[in-house]
CSV table of all heavy atoms in Angstrom, one decimal:
chain,number,residue,atom,x,y,z
V,9,TRP,N,6.2,24.5,-3.7
V,9,TRP,CA,6.8,25.7,-2.9
V,9,TRP,C,7.2,26.7,-4.0
V,9,TRP,O,7.9,26.4,-5.0
V,9,TRP,CB,7.9,25.3,-2.0
V,9,TRP,CG,8.4,26.4,-1.1
V,9,TRP,CD1,9.4,27.3,-1.4
V,9,TRP,CD2,7.8,26.7,0.1
V,9,TRP,NE1,9.4,28.2,-0.3
V,9,TRP,CE2,8.5,27.8,0.6
V,9,TRP,CE3,6.8,26.2,0.9
V,9,TRP,CZ2,8.2,28.4,1.9
V,9,TRP,CZ3,6.5,26.7,2.1
V,9,TRP,CH2,7.2,27.8,2.6
V,12,THR,N,11.5,32.0,-1.4
V,12,THR,CA,12.5,31.6,-0.5
V,12,THR,C,11.8,30.9,0.7
V,12,THR,O,10.6,30.9,0.9
V,12,THR,CB,13.2,32.9,0.0
V,12,THR,OG1,12.2,33.7,0.7
V,12,THR,CG2,13.8,33.6,-1.1
V,30,THR,N,-3.7,23.0,0.2
V,30,THR,CA,-3.7,23.6,1.5
V,30,THR,C,-2.4,24.4,1.8
V,30,THR,O,-1.3,23.9,1.6
V,30,THR,CB,-3.8,22.5,2.6
V,30,THR,OG1,-5.0,21.7,2.3
V,30,THR,CG2,-3.9,23.0,4.0
V,73,PRO,N,-14.6,0.0,22.8
V,73,PRO,CA,-14.5,1.3,23.4
V,73,PRO,C,-15.8,2.1,23.1
V,73,PRO,O,-16.3,2.1,22.0
V,73,PRO,CB,-13.3,1.9,22.9
V,73,PRO,CG,-13.1,1.3,21.6
V,73,PRO,CD,-13.6,-0.1,21.7
V,98,LEU,N,1.7,11.8,23.3
V,98,LEU,CA,0.3,11.3,23.1
V,98,LEU,C,-0.5,11.5,24.5
V,98,LEU,O,0.0,11.0,25.5
V,98,LEU,CB,0.3,9.9,22.7
V,98,LEU,CG,0.9,9.6,21.3
V,98,LEU,CD1,1.1,8.1,21.1
V,98,LEU,CD2,0.1,10.2,20.2
V,116,ALA,N,-2.6,0.0,25.7
V,116,ALA,CA,-2.2,1.4,25.2
V,116,ALA,C,-0.8,1.5,24.9
V,116,ALA,O,-0.3,2.0,23.9
V,116,ALA,CB,-2.7,2.4,26.2
V,122,ASN,N,3.8,0.2,18.7
V,122,ASN,CA,3.7,-0.5,17.5
V,122,ASN,C,2.9,0.1,16.3
V,122,ASN,O,2.8,-0.6,15.3
V,122,ASN,CB,3.2,-2.0,17.8
V,122,ASN,CG,4.3,-2.7,18.6
V,122,ASN,OD1,5.4,-2.9,18.1
V,122,ASN,ND2,3.9,-3.1,19.8
V,135,LEU,N,3.4,8.7,26.5
V,135,LEU,CA,2.0,8.4,26.5
V,135,LEU,C,1.5,8.7,27.9
V,135,LEU,O,2.0,8.2,28.9
V,135,LEU,CB,1.8,6.9,26.1
V,135,LEU,CG,0.4,6.4,26.3
V,135,LEU,CD1,-0.6,7.1,25.3
V,135,LEU,CD2,0.4,4.9,26.0
Side-chain angles (χ1 to χ4, degrees):
W9 189 267
T12 65
T30 303
L98 297 171
N122 291 301
L135 172 63

